[in-house]
Amino acid sequence: RKEVEQDPGPFNVPEGATVAFNCTYSNSASQSFFWYRQDCRKEPKLLMSVYSSGNEDGRFTAQLNRASQYISLLIRDSKLSDSATYLCVVNLSSNDYKLSFGAGTTVTVRA
Amino acid sequence: DAGVIQSPRHEVTEMGQEVTLRCKPISGHDYLFWYRQTMMRGLELLIYFNNNVPIDDSGMPEDRFSAKMPNASFSTLKIQPSEPRDSAVYFCASTKTGRGSYSPLHFGNGTRLTVT
């Protein structure tokens, strides 16, 4: 089993739609979780951290479910500029910094 | 803040040649990471350093790969000899810890390596 697994998609959605996807992780001791965004041929950039209580940043909502060991990302009112690959990132270590990336979920928003 | 700086941006070399990738982390960051990204395998952690000391190199694929961090502002990833399957984008990233929490990574622009 991979340490961090994501549905690769692609998710093709019209502008204004809501899209959501999950990421599962294998290490129950993982403490830190993030969503990164990567545009084609660019470096990954932090989208948002994921907190235990769930958090929202504008149109983006992240949730953590420790019991089932997954995190989720929901994008509301999607824009063309949201088209990208979204990478789930998990710190596999409980006492150090060892970030593992999922393979990414591709989202394409069409006009 | 200049961000994480990697060089070269592109490298094309022939099989068997030595390749050296360079990285300058953000000033004040105490962690430095080397990742490799391919279509087939996604982003793979190769090695990471804390305060210039290698902490985990279990992701380094084989002995042909080596990484050093002689000081807080410079790191290299060397492949010798290079092989076509090493073709990938190599990212360097840095971050700093503080107050028991872990901060997100800041990535460089990457080095796109092609080995023919």
Side-chain angles (χ1 to χ4, degrees), chain B residues 28-83:
Chain B
H29 282 191
D30 55 348
Y31 276 86
L32 183 141
F33 302 77
W34 282 101
Y35 284 88
R36 175 173 70 175
Q37 187 172 36
T38 60
M39 288 292 291
M40 291 295 295
R41 302 170 72 94
L43 263 169
E44 302 173 277
L45 176 62
L46 300 178
I47 184 172
Y48 72 96
F49 298 82
N50 179 218
N51 292 320
N52 315 336
V53 176
I55 303 300
D56 188 333
D57 65 354
S58 59
M60 297 285 261
E62 25 188 300
D63 291 344
R64 298 184 297 106
F65 285 69
S66 63
K68 294 181 180 180
M69 191 165 186
N71 57 62
S73 59
F74 184 65
S75 177
T76 59
L77 177 68
K78 186 174 293 186
I79 308 172
Q80 167 63 20
S82 57
E83 297 182 4

Side-chain angles (χ1 to χ4, degrees), chain A residues 46-65:
Chain A
L46 176 69
L47 178 66
M48 59 195 302
S49 301
V50 184
Y51 303 124
S52 296
S53 56
N55 50 298
E56 192 173 300
D57 183 0
R59 298 180 292 105
F60 297 84
T61 301
Q63 296 280 352
L64 167 63
N65 185 317

Side-chain angles (χ1 to χ4, degrees), chain A residues 32 34 36 38 41-46 49 87 91 93-103, chain B residues 31 33 35 37 42-43 45 48 55-56 58 91 95-97 102-109 112:
Chain A
S32 304
F34 307 91
Y36 276 69
Q38 186 173 27
R41 303 179 78 85
K42 298 283 191 179
E43 74 274 19
K45 292 184 178 179
L46 176 69
S49 301
L87 303 168
N91 186 357
S93 174
S94 58
N95 59 1
D96 198 11
Y97 209 136
K98 186 173 182 179
L99 293 190
S100 182
F101 283 70
Chain B
Y31 276 86
F33 302 77
Y35 284 88
Q37 187 172 36
L43 263 169
L45 176 62
Y48 72 96
I55 303 300
D56 188 333
S58 59
F91 287 106
T95 191
K96 64 178 179 179
T97 55
Y102 296 104
S103 303
L105 298 184
H106 296 262
F107 281 82
N109 291 328
R112 186 171 297 275

